């Protein structure tokens, strides 16, 4: 009923047709067994069987040319044990095409990944050994009898007892001998700064915007890091960095520092990050080598290749990236509110609102809190909320100082009788006519600030606050009167300046001078100027206004001289603005004295007869800005 695949005949008879007689159905496998001495075997190309953990080869068996078996998979080890062993090492161990629980395979993968990371760091692709080298490492450790996973497991179960690290490779073994001295310490995993350790990652992909080194900064730590330090790069990039800076010089300067690599090496042999900001330090050292100063503006960090400028990733509480870029100052400005909110959440037990008197016991100067695995130091302070006081946390000591000053002032005003009526009773009528009510209130606030500062304030516990409040109660009216009289002098001087400006004939020169003067007035008498200036400097403001009057008197007679002096002082004011904006929040207060130096410089340039309160010159102002920029 069914035609068999194979038949066997006892006799073949050929008449007009070929006939087979005494025929029976047979299985071809019978012929392979019964005629083993007659069959012929041939083999195809071997292949790796991951499921079996061994190499197999297709076998073809024929009898008198008839195929008994067409492509039966058989272990390669039976045919070619050497080839089977090689395929096991190559596929199972080198290429990891094998499901195995052996720990050395994962350890070796991690070691190879570490060397690949080192390649990203040093920006080379010739450090990690290739597959042939890894094969050789296994080949010299594994015996010839191991041809499959089954053989390996049997051998390794005994061997690992005595030699557990036999098949575990160290990163040193995975580095090519010709790669040279590649020190991982030159490309660290962490950036350390002021006790903070920030993770670093490396990428070697010129097409990627984050090619190079990336610093990962947790959000609350963003206010604590110093941007100048990052310009120096990691130690392994430093020589390339300084070399690139030198090569970015215009041709007239570049030829003085050839060859650039050797000059860069000489510079780095003398200085490093501890000596100050990169640009200032390198310019100074190059100036020593050249014998004349190198202008700072010739060292252009913005012209460096992207991989030599660090990238920054700000991370959230779970490590997720929030924002990234190469301008740390811009990231700070962008995330100012988020930084404040994140800092405020670190120690919620310290925060208070609606305080009308001191009921908070002792307020600590600093608190260490944990955030995303990092220890973050925060700074509690009183905060002025208008009709009450709160306790908030700040990222920097500078922010704490500013907030604590205003918060202490508000709490004193809330716990003391109003001084406004007392002040109005004793002030001369002429002074009361000049000052508005809000200016009187500013005089009282400025007087409180003066008394608190003179008596070691602000207070940090209830007892200190009570003592401070008693002192302020006794001295407030007298100090506020002195402030009000000084403010009166400033306001009257400002009226005189406006009258002189109104009488001045308009011309291109006078219009430029008037615009400059109005800008100066706007800075000196901006909203809240009485409190921000402080009682000690109020007489200086009146003197600066007298200097403006003197300038206006001389403007018509010497307009060219006025224009030259104005351009010189405006150049320094622009440099000061750039410096102030570039400083982190924790250091902005360091630059404030320069603002008053600029006012004194205006007196020396426009009104020498008025007199300055200190020795001042353009060179002194520039030197002070350089000192602040260098972090001194």
């Amino acid at each position: 009923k069914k035609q068999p695949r194979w038949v066997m005949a006892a006799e073949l008879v050929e008449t007009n047709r070929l006939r087979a007689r005494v025929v029976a159905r047979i299985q071809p496998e019978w012929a392979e067994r019964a005629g083993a001495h007659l069959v012929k075997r041939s083999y195809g190309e071997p292949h790796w069987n991951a499921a079996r953990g061994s190499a197999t080869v297709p076998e073809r068996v024929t009898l008198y040319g008839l195929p008994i078996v067409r492509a039966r998979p058989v272990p390669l080890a039976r045919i070619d044990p050497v080839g089977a062993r090689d395929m096991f090492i190559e596929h199972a161990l080198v290429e990891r095409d094998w499901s195995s629980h052996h720990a050395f395979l994962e350890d070796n993968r991690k070691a190879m990944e570490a060397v690949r990371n080192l390649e990203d760091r040093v920006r080379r692709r010739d450090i990690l050994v290739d597959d042939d080298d890894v094969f050789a490492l296994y080949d010299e450790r594994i015996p010839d009898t191991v041809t499959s996973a089954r053989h390996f497991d049997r051998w390794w179960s005994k061997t690992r007892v005595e030699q557990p690290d036999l098949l575990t490779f160290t990163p040193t073994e995975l580095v090519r001998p010709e790669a040279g001295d590649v020190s991982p310490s030159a490309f660290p995993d962490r950036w350390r700064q002021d006790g903070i350790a920030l993770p670093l990652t490396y990428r070697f992909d010129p097409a990627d915007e984050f090619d190079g080194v990336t610093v990962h900064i947790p959000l609350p730590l963003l206010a604590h890091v110093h941007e100048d330090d990052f310009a120096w790069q990691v130690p392994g990039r430093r020589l390339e960095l300084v070399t690139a800076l030198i090569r970015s010089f215009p041709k007239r300067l570049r030829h003085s520092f050839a060859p650039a690599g050797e000059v860069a090496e000489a510079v780095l042999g003398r200085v490093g990050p501890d000596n100050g900001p990169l640009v200032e330090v390198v310019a100074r050292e190059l100036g020593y080598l050249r014998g004349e100063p190198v202008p700072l503006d010739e060292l252009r960090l913005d012209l460096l290749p992207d991989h030599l400028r660090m990238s920054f990733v700000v991370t959230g509480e779970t490590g997720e990236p929030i924002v990234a870029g190469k301008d740390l100052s811009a990231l700070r400005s962008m995330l100012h509110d988020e930084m404040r909110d994140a800092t405020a959440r670190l120690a919620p037990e310290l925060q208070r609102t609606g305080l009308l008197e001191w009921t908070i016991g002792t307020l600590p100067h600093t608190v260490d809190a944990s955030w995303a695995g990092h220890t973050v130091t925060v700074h509690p302070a009183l905060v002025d909320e208008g009709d009450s006081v709160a306790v908030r946390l700040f990222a920097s000591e500078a922010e704490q100082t500013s907030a604590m000053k205003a918060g202490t002032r508000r709490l004193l005003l809330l716990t003391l009788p109003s001084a406004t009526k007392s002040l109005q009773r004793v002030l001369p009528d002429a002074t009361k006519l000049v000052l508005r009510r809000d200016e009187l209130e500013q005089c009282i606030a400025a007087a409180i600030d003066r008394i608190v500062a003179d008596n070691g304030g602000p207070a940090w516990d209830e007892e200190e606050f009570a003592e401070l409040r008693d002192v302020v109660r006794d001295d407030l009216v007298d100090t506020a009167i002195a402030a009000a009289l000084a403010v009166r002098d400033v306001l009257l001087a400002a009226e005189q300046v406006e009258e002189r400006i109104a009488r001045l004939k308009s011309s291109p020169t006078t219009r430029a001078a008037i615009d400059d003067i109005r800008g100066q007035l706007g800075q000196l008498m901006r909203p809240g100027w009485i409190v921000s200036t402080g009682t000690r400097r109020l007489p200086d403001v009146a003197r600066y206004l007298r200097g403006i009057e003197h300038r206006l008197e001389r403007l018509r007679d010497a307009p060219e001289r006025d224009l030259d002096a104005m351009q010189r002082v405006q150049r320094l004011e622009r440099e000061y603005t750039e410096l102030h904006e570039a400083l982190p929040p924790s250091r902005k207060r360091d630059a404030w004295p320069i603002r008053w130096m600029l006012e004194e410089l205006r007196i020396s340039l426009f009104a020498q007869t008025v007199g300055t309160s200190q020795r001042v010159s353009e060179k002194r102002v520039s030197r002070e800005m350089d000192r602040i920029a260098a972090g001194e």
Side-chain angles (χ1 to χ4, degrees):
K1 294 182 180 179
K2 184 179 180 182
Q3 291 292 331
R5 288 173 49 238
W6 282 58
V7 296
M8 184 173 180
E11 181 181 32
L12 293 177
V13 177
E14 187 172 2
T15 56
N16 58 335
R17 295 176 65 185
L18 179 64
R19 298 177 183 276
R21 294 177 177 173
V22 191
V23 177
R25 177 182 63 84
I26 69 167
Q27 297 290 341
E29 293 81 3
W30 301 345
E32 182 183 4
R33 290 194 299 271
H37 59 294
L38 299 174
V39 300
K40 293 183 178 180
R41 302 176 188 275
S42 59
Y43 301 93
E45 288 295 323
H47 74 276
W48 173 251
N49 189 318
R52 296 178 58 175
S54 65
T56 62
V57 61
E59 183 181 47
R60 177 181 174 87
V61 183
T62 60
L63 176 63
Y64 301 127
L66 297 175
I68 297 174
V69 178
R70 293 184 180 277
R72 177 174 57 199
V74 297
L76 178 62
R78 294 182 191 172
I79 317 303
D80 181 8
V82 174
R85 178 178 178 274
D86 288 350
M87 288 190 70
F88 172 76
I89 294 175
E90 178 184 355
H91 293 279
L93 303 181
V94 176
E95 298 178 1
R96 296 288 305 275
D97 188 12
W98 177 35
S99 293
S100 173
H101 60 280
H102 295 304
F104 73 86
L105 289 170
E106 181 62 17
D107 292 340
N108 291 345
R109 185 196 66 78
K110 291 179 179 177
M112 294 179 76
E113 189 62 31
V115 179
R116 289 192 188 96
N117 288 338
L118 183 59
E119 287 186 325
D120 282 344
R121 298 178 191 204
V122 301
R123 304 182 70 76
R124 288 167 53 186
R125 286 290 181 247
D126 60 350
I127 298 176
L128 179 65
V129 295
D130 60 22
D131 287 351
D132 290 342
D133 297 314
V134 178
F135 181 96
L137 290 172
Y138 281 117
D139 183 40
E140 66 183 5
R141 291 166 168 83
I142 296 174
D144 295 341
T145 55
V146 173
T147 59
S148 68
R150 182 169 56 85
H151 293 99
F152 178 86
D153 289 340
R154 187 183 306 127
W155 166 76
W156 184 237
S157 64
K158 298 177 182 179
T159 305
R160 68 184 176 188
V161 176
E162 297 179 356
Q163 297 175 280
D165 297 328
L166 177 64
L167 298 181
T168 302
F169 306 144
T170 64
T172 303
E173 292 176 299
L174 297 173
V175 172
R176 293 176 184 270
E178 60 271 22
D181 182 17
V182 183
S183 173
S185 62
F187 302 90
D189 295 322
R190 301 269 171 177
W191 182 275
R192 302 190 183 279
Q193 185 184 99
D194 294 344
I196 300 171
L198 303 173
L200 295 178
T201 56
Y202 298 80
R203 184 170 297 177
F204 181 18
D205 183 359
D208 193 290
E209 62 178 320
F210 294 107
D211 182 33
V213 188
T214 298
V215 189
H216 298 260
I217 308 174
L219 182 60
L221 295 179
L222 189 57
H224 296 265
V225 296
H226 310 312
E227 188 169 11
D228 286 341
D229 291 356
F230 294 114
W232 280 95
Q233 268 285 349
V234 295
R237 289 270 192 279
R238 215 160 280 160
L239 179 59
E240 183 185 2
L241 169 68
V242 177
T243 303
L245 275 175
I246 294 172
R247 287 175 176 162
S248 70
F249 283 157
K251 188 174 181 180
R252 59 183 173 80
L253 270 180
R254 194 166 57 243
H255 76 276
S256 301
F257 303 105
E262 293 182 10
V263 173
E265 195 169 357
V267 168
L268 292 174
R270 292 168 49 89
V271 297
D274 293 339
N275 297 100
L278 172 70
V279 170
E280 286 84 350
V281 171
V282 172
R284 184 178 66 238
E285 291 300 312
L286 293 177
Y288 292 155
L289 294 174
R290 185 174 181 234
E292 59 181 285
V294 173
L296 290 178
D297 56 4
E298 297 291 3
L299 282 90
R300 299 278 303 278
L301 294 178
D302 57 317
L303 296 181
L304 290 174
D306 281 347
H307 74 275
L308 293 177
R309 297 170 57 222
M310 276 194 169
S311 301
F312 305 96
V313 175
V314 182
T315 57
E317 193 164 1
T318 59
E320 78 284 1
I322 299 174
V323 68
K326 289 190 176 290
D327 188 336
L328 191 58
S329 297
L331 296 182
R332 277 201 192 99
S333 300
M334 187 187 311
L335 296 175
H336 180 269
D337 293 342
E338 289 82 354
M339 274 195 297
R340 181 192 59 204
D341 295 342
T343 301
R345 292 196 303 270
L346 291 177
E349 69 279 1
L350 283 177
Q351 300 185 59
R352 299 286 189 277
T353 58
L355 297 176
L356 300 177
E357 55 186 39
W358 194 287
T359 57
I360 53 175
T362 299
L363 187 64
H365 287 69
T366 60
V367 175
D368 287 338
S370 179
W371 199 90
H374 294 267
T375 298
V376 182
T377 300
V378 293
H379 306 265
L382 298 177
V383 176
D384 181 1
E385 294 194 328
D387 56 357
S388 65
V389 173
V391 176
R392 296 277 185 260
L393 304 178
F394 294 89
S396 69
E397 187 177 357
E399 293 174 300
Q400 178 194 44
T401 300
S402 178
M404 193 66 180
K405 180 178 179 181
T408 300
R409 181 201 312 137
R410 177 58 61 190
L411 194 56
L412 287 168
L413 287 170
L414 290 170
T415 55
L416 288 172
S418 173
T420 305
K421 292 182 179 179
S422 300
L423 194 60
Q424 288 177 326
R425 282 198 302 269
V426 297
L427 278 177
D429 291 339
T431 302
K432 288 188 284 186
L433 289 173
V434 175
L435 272 67
R436 302 189 303 271
R437 182 179 178 84
D438 69 299
E439 291 166 338
L440 282 176
E441 291 175 349
Q442 282 195 60
C443 290
I444 294 170
I448 290 176
D449 290 348
R450 170 76 174 272
I451 298 168
V452 169
D454 288 349
N455 288 274
W460 294 91
D461 60 40
E462 187 171 3
E463 183 178 352
E464 289 180 0
F465 181 77
E467 293 175 358
L468 190 60
R469 182 178 55 203
D470 292 341
V471 174
V472 171
R473 180 190 293 112
D474 294 340
D475 298 345
L476 179 56
V477 173
D478 289 342
T479 308
I481 289 172
L485 295 175
V487 169
R488 178 202 61 191
D489 293 343
V490 172
L491 296 175
L492 292 175
E495 287 183 9
Q496 294 292 325
V497 168
E498 291 294 345
E499 290 176 3
R500 285 190 175 277
I501 290 175
R503 294 198 300 267
L504 200 63
K505 290 184 178 180
S506 177
S507 70
T509 303
T510 59
R511 282 197 295 270
I514 290 171
D515 288 342
D516 179 61
I517 289 169
R518 292 205 180 279
Q520 183 185 3
L521 288 172
Q523 282 293 316
L524 291 172
M525 304 180 69
R526 61 188 181 279
W529 67 275
I530 299 173
V531 175
S532 62
T533 300
T535 59
R536 293 183 189 280
R537 283 206 173 271
L538 288 173
D540 289 330
V541 176
R543 180 166 53 84
Y544 300 149
L545 293 175
R546 291 198 300 275
I548 294 175
E549 286 189 71
H550 190 81
R551 176 186 180 183
L552 290 169
E553 288 177 2
R554 302 173 60 189
L555 179 60
R556 185 172 55 187
D557 298 330
E560 292 80 8
R561 181 179 176 184
D562 185 277
L563 180 62
D564 176 67
M566 180 180 69
Q567 290 173 342
R568 286 152 58 191
V569 76
Q570 285 180 344
R571 177 183 60 82
L572 289 171
E573 287 175 338
R574 285 193 298 271
E575 291 179 9
Y576 167 72
T577 300
E578 292 172 1
L579 170 66
H580 190 266
E581 290 176 351
L583 290 173
S586 59
R587 294 192 55 223
K588 289 189 183 296
R589 291 177 64 90
D590 297 343
W592 288 359
I594 299 175
R595 173 176 171 262
W596 299 112
M597 287 183 70
L598 289 167
E599 293 296 338
E600 297 294 340
L601 180 63
R602 282 181 172 272
I603 292 292
S604 70
L605 293 175
F606 296 114
Q608 292 180 353
T609 57
V610 173
T612 61
S613 64
Q614 63 186 87
R615 295 182 64 184
V616 66
S617 66
E618 294 171 65
K619 188 175 291 186
R620 285 176 183 268
V621 174
S622 294
R623 196 159 52 234
E624 184 65 13
M625 285 195 283
D626 290 342
R627 186 185 69 79
I628 297 297
E632 298 177 3

